């Protein structure tokens, strides 16, 4: 694998890669190496954290370089697909009319388009379990809201074009919201706290508000 320069910052090392598929392949392989305390995928880079008590910075950098040079770079054509139930009704989708109008579609046509599209998880960031998605079909640029909200509800799906996101906690946010899922994106009590990981494929399944509430009640402690 041809790689760019490795950058070091305290106990972290990072390196840019030229395709997202290589980022995901590198992340998957590096996570198998017990030497790294954490492996984090970005949109065009991968970073690892080492323990300075057990590994000198120069040793860690040499090891990272060696492992990157030996990684497989196969395309992840059989990435796992996760179905996310999503309610597009107005109470959960305050910006759906605006987004549909920007795309010159009816709300019904937008829902049909969005729920038939496939998305790929590019990375997690912003907060634990918060997933950034890339649509695998063409969606015109929508843009962010002119004024961000002080509170976006957990489970909300934002869309600014081919990029989407799913909010894993209540938080401020400036993405237009086109629906909400009752599925818990992050649960510290699970073996794998974050439901989603980089390279997964996502499809959205439309549900009613009654189905949303039923599923939400199933996830409550």
């Amino acid at each position: 694998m041809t790689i760019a320069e490795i950058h070091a910052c305290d106990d972290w090392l990072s390196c840019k890669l030229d395709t997202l598929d290589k980022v995901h392949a590198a992340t998957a392989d590096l996570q198998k190496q017990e030497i790294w305390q954490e492996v984090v995928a970005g949109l065009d880079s991968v970073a690892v954290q080492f323990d300075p008590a057990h590994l000198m910075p120069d040793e860690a950098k040499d090891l990272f370089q060696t492992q990157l040079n030996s990684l497989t770079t196969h395309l992840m054509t059989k990435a796992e697909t996760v179905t996310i139930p999503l309610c597009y009704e107005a109470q959960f989708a305050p910006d759906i009319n605006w987004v549909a109008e920007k795309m010159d579609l009816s709300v019904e046509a937008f829902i049909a388009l969005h729920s038939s599209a496939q998305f790929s998880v590019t990375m997690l960031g912003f907060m634990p379990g918060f997933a950034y998605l890339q649509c695998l079909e063409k969606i015109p640029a929508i843009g962010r809201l002119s004024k961000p909200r002080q509170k976006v509800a957990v489970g909300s799906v934002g869309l600014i074009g081919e990029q989407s996101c799913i909010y894993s906690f209540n938080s401020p946010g400036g993405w237009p919201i086109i629906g909400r899922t009752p599925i818990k994106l992050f649960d510290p009590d699970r073996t794998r706290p974050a439901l989603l990981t980089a390279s997964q494929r996502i499809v959205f399944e439309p549900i009613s508000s009654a189905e949303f509430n039923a599923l939400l009640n199933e996830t409550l402690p």
Side-chain angles (χ1 to χ4, degrees), residues 6 13 35-36 48 50-67:
I6 292 175
L13 302 169
I35 192 67
W36 307 119
V48 295
F50 63 94
D51 183 357
H54 295 90
L55 199 62
M56 296 296 291
D58 287 344
E59 293 174 324
K61 187 173 182 179
D62 289 343
L63 182 59
F64 188 38
Q65 177 85 60
T66 299
Q67 291 178 352

Side-chain angles (χ1 to χ4, degrees), residues 72-209:
T72 57
T73 59
H74 59 279
L75 298 179
M76 293 188 170
T77 55
K78 295 184 179 180
E80 177 186 0
T81 299
V82 179
T83 299
I84 302 291
L86 190 67
C87 186
Y88 295 93
E89 294 181 20
Q91 59 184 324
F92 300 120
D95 304 308
I96 194 169
N97 288 298
W98 180 70
V99 170
E101 184 177 348
K102 292 269 284 188
M103 294 177 62
D104 197 26
L105 296 172
S106 66
V107 171
E108 293 74 16
F110 169 76
I111 294 172
L113 172 67
H114 189 261
S115 60
S116 64
Q118 278 205 344
F119 297 80
S120 175
V121 180
T122 55
M123 65 178 185
L124 302 184
F126 181 45
M127 66 183 85
F130 184 101
Y132 290 92
L133 313 178
Q134 183 78 19
C135 186
L136 303 184
E137 284 80 32
K138 186 68 176 177
I139 292 182
I142 304 299
R144 296 174 181 266
L145 300 174
S146 58
K147 183 178 180 181
R149 291 186 172 90
Q150 291 298 309
K151 180 180 178 181
V152 176
V154 59
S156 293
V157 172
L159 181 145
I160 59 172
E162 292 180 8
Q163 280 195 313
S164 297
C165 68
I166 311 180
Y167 287 79
S168 52
F169 291 89
N170 295 327
S171 76
W175 295 57
I177 303 302
I178 52 87
R180 193 188 308 171
T181 179
I183 300 302
K184 188 175 290 187
L185 277 297
F186 187 84
D187 184 350
D189 294 328
R190 290 193 299 235
T191 302
R192 194 180 76 181
L195 176 66
L196 303 176
T197 59
S199 83
Q200 284 178 323
R201 295 290 189 260
I202 301 294
V203 292
F204 292 102
E205 179 182 15
I207 59 172
S208 66
S209 56

Side-chain angles (χ1 to χ4, degrees), residues 16-30:
K16 284 187 174 294
L17 300 175
D18 56 9
T19 70
L20 189 58
D21 287 305
K22 289 182 181 179
V23 170
H24 290 161
T27 301
D29 283 346
L30 288 165

